Amino acid sequence: MSLDASTPSKATPPPAQRRRVSVLGATGSVGQSTLDLLSRSTDAFEVVALTGHSNVTLLAEQAKASCAKLAVIGDAARYGELKAALTGTGIRCAAGPEALVEAAAEPADCVMAAIMGAAGLRPTFEAARQGRRVALANKECLVSAGDIFINAIAAAGTELVPVDSEHSAAFQAIAGSDPSGIERITLTASGGPFRTWSLEQIEAARPEQALKHPNWSMGRKITIDSATLMNKGLELIEAFHLFPVSIAQLDVVVHPQSIIHCLVSYTDGSVMAQLGCPDMRTPIAFSLAWPRRMAAPTERLDLVKLGSMTFEAPDEVRFPCLGIARAALIKGGSAPAILNAANEIAVDAFLEKGLGFLQIAHLVSDVIEAADVRGLARPPAGLEDVLAVDAESRQLARTMLRAYV
Ligand code: NDP
Ligand code: MG
């Protein structure tokens, strides 16, 4: 089952009504961009629930500025701080993982799912179950629980609109076309900050160097994933679940300017591409307003100023994570969930505990192998099974990490 980009369903309200939007992960990079857009279109949108994890100050500010009805902080220990910050505003507040799920269930037309990592699974699933349109930034839902999540969307009869720029681009390039005519989907990758570095240089890369993405401004975790190309690997898995293609029909090309976000090739030789300056507010705006369009204050594409665009094949020797992710997709079952869990631990260890940059790939690969031996790579029966595999893989990754640092 894959995404149908051509027909808005019952979750699309008539244009005269203000669309009610909840933002999960409001304090993050995607969340802040979402609120920036919503604040510029208050005639078309109203804010319902906002969530954060640790940043109480920003969450309270956002809730007040957007006149949200509910603010939820994931870290239960910060409830008192949030309550104090919102006293006298009339904005309800709550805390803890269960409250995040309740925020997702709050009556709304659209839920922006922008929590980072597997922590976003439960709330995003709840939004789907409740029949909300899901604007999906949290790619982990599709990586770790792809079929189950797509089935949950279908069972609720609601819509899934991708926010990831490449998938938003593919969604737009496919809309209205006969899906059986799709020959290939090519995701573009910037190549990250180490695109031109030698293997020896990459081996010695430090967190502050990996956090300097050449084109996109994003959260820390996805910025490291962009430097290792694991992000593109996760996006291959995401695309596989979103669009009606086989693994063999999915490709990656490095395009350092990040202007073309995805190309969809058809059986008649036609190639549809979506272009735009690299600013997440464009795909976020698309997901919020679809099937209409809303204004986004992004830099406009000037082809003459740009001059040229270049392309190259990804180098899987210097960037082994791409191949590791593709292998997990081919293996199927829970292998992608194990990959994601191990990678979250590895990236955190690179940022905080001195794990080497290339060791991220080694650790992830070792964890997938060890998890497979333990029978963890079995096909997941449902969300709870995915979460159990995720937890066990994290534990395994933490244990195996000790041999590295
Ligand atoms: P950030 O790290 O900037 O923000 C993450 C958000 O999730 C914050 O609101 C954070 O709260 C919250 N959060 C973190 N941990 C938890 C937790 N355990 N429980 C509940 N909430 C939590 O991430 P991004 O905005 O960069 O990315 C968000 C998602 O979107 C990711 O899945 C990413 O892959 C995807 N994405 C991001 C893109 C981008 O441009 N940034 C592009 C495409 C996809 P707090 O800050 O309060 O601690
Ligand atoms: Mg992307």
Side-chain angles (χ1 to χ4, degrees):
M1 158 72 246
S2 58
L3 194 62
D4 178 3
S6 56
T7 43
S9 81
K10 63 180 186 184
T12 304
Q17 238 170 283
R18 283 209 303 170
R19 190 172 273 179
R20 299 163 301 164
V21 182
S22 290
V23 186
L24 310 178
T27 50
S29 166
V30 171
Q32 290 181 55
S33 295
T34 303
L35 283 170
D36 174 60
L37 288 167
L38 295 176
S39 71
R40 296 165 192 267
S41 290
T42 49
D43 53 334
F45 297 96
E46 64 178 286
V47 173
V48 178
L50 299 181
T51 81
H53 181 62
S54 54
N55 196 341
V56 171
T57 311
L58 179 58
L59 179 65
E61 265 171 33
Q62 290 175 327
K64 286 188 251 184
S66 65
C67 301
K69 317 272 180 293
L70 172 67
V72 173
I73 193 82
D75 181 355
R78 305 200 180 213
Y79 177 69
E81 249 177 278
L82 181 64
K83 196 166 160 40
L86 293 177
T87 299
T89 61
I91 301 168
R92 287 182 287 131
C93 61
E98 279 314 308
L100 292 174
V101 175
E102 283 159 27
E106 196 76 2
D109 301 303
C110 174
V111 172
M112 169 58 69
I115 290 176
M116 197 282 289
L121 261 63
R122 258 192 223 285
T124 309
F125 263 80
E126 183 62 20
R129 274 196 205 108
Q130 297 290 339
R132 317 284 178 244
R133 162 185 293 188
V134 179
L136 188 72
N138 179 269
K139 61 188 83 185
E140 294 82 359
C141 262
L142 287 171
V143 170
S144 299
D147 292 339
I148 300 165
F149 186 64
I150 293 288
N151 287 339
I153 292 281
T158 190
E159 299 159 346
L160 170 56
V161 185
V163 171
D164 215 343
S165 57
E166 298 77 1
H167 307 76
S168 172
F171 187 93
Q172 295 178 61
I174 290 172
S177 298
D178 167 14
S180 69
I182 300 172
E183 198 166 69
R184 177 159 296 279
I185 295 182
T186 307
L187 307 177
T188 57
S190 69
F194 306 145
R195 182 177 61 87
T196 58
W197 288 29
S198 69
L199 195 58
E200 294 68 33
Q201 288 173 306
I202 292 175
E203 192 160 20
R206 294 188 309 275
E208 62 273 21
Q209 296 171 309
L211 284 168
K212 280 200 187 109
H213 196 282
N215 303 337
W216 296 95
S217 156
M218 307 182 286
R220 284 159 63 87
K221 155 69 168 54
I222 186 174
T223 303
I224 301 303
D225 286 347
S226 298
T228 61
L229 286 202
M230 179 62 91
N231 183 48
K232 216 44 59 180
L234 299 177
E235 290 181 357
L236 279 179
I237 303 173
E238 195 183 358
F240 174 73
H241 290 292
L242 284 171
F243 305 114
V245 287
S246 66
I247 300 171
Q249 289 172 289
L250 288 167
D251 242 353
V252 172
V253 69
V254 174
H255 164 43
Q257 297 79 22
S258 298
I259 297 296
I260 297 180
H261 303 301
C262 188
L263 305 106
V264 180
S265 314
Y266 289 91
T267 47
D268 59 6
S270 220
V271 181
M272 303 293 290
Q274 187 262 353
L275 289 74
C277 292
D279 185 325
M280 280 306 292
R281 288 178 297 179
T282 295
I284 292 170
F286 179 83
S287 72
L288 295 171
W290 185 77
R292 292 180 282 279
R293 294 275 178 175
M294 67 186 281
T298 56
E299 186 187 342
R300 278 6 189 192
L301 181 57
D302 180 337
L303 288 176
V304 174
K305 194 167 134 205
L306 178 68
S308 63
M309 291 191 277
T310 57
F311 306 91
E312 56 198 66
D315 178 349
E316 293 191 20
V317 174
R318 287 180 304 138
F319 302 99
C321 284
L322 180 57
I324 294 170
R326 192 187 295 105
L329 173 59
I330 293 168
K331 185 166 177 56
S334 295
I338 299 164
L339 168 93
N340 181 66
N343 183 56
E344 284 190 27
I345 299 296
V347 169
D348 183 62
F350 169 68
L351 287 172
E352 310 293 342
K353 302 188 181 93
L355 184 72
F357 186 78
L358 286 177
Q359 288 179 323
I360 295 175
H362 292 149
L363 178 62
V364 171
S365 176
D366 286 354
V367 172
I368 295 175
E369 217 179 291
D372 194 17
V373 171
R374 292 180 178 207
L376 282 183
R378 64 184 183 266
L383 175 59
E384 293 312 315
D385 208 13
V386 172
L387 294 171
V389 167
D390 176 79
E392 210 169 321
S393 305
R394 274 165 207 273
Q395 198 43 50
L396 192 56
R398 282 191 201 98
T399 307
M400 294 179 76
L401 177 64
R402 290 190 208 124
Y404 287 83
V405 290

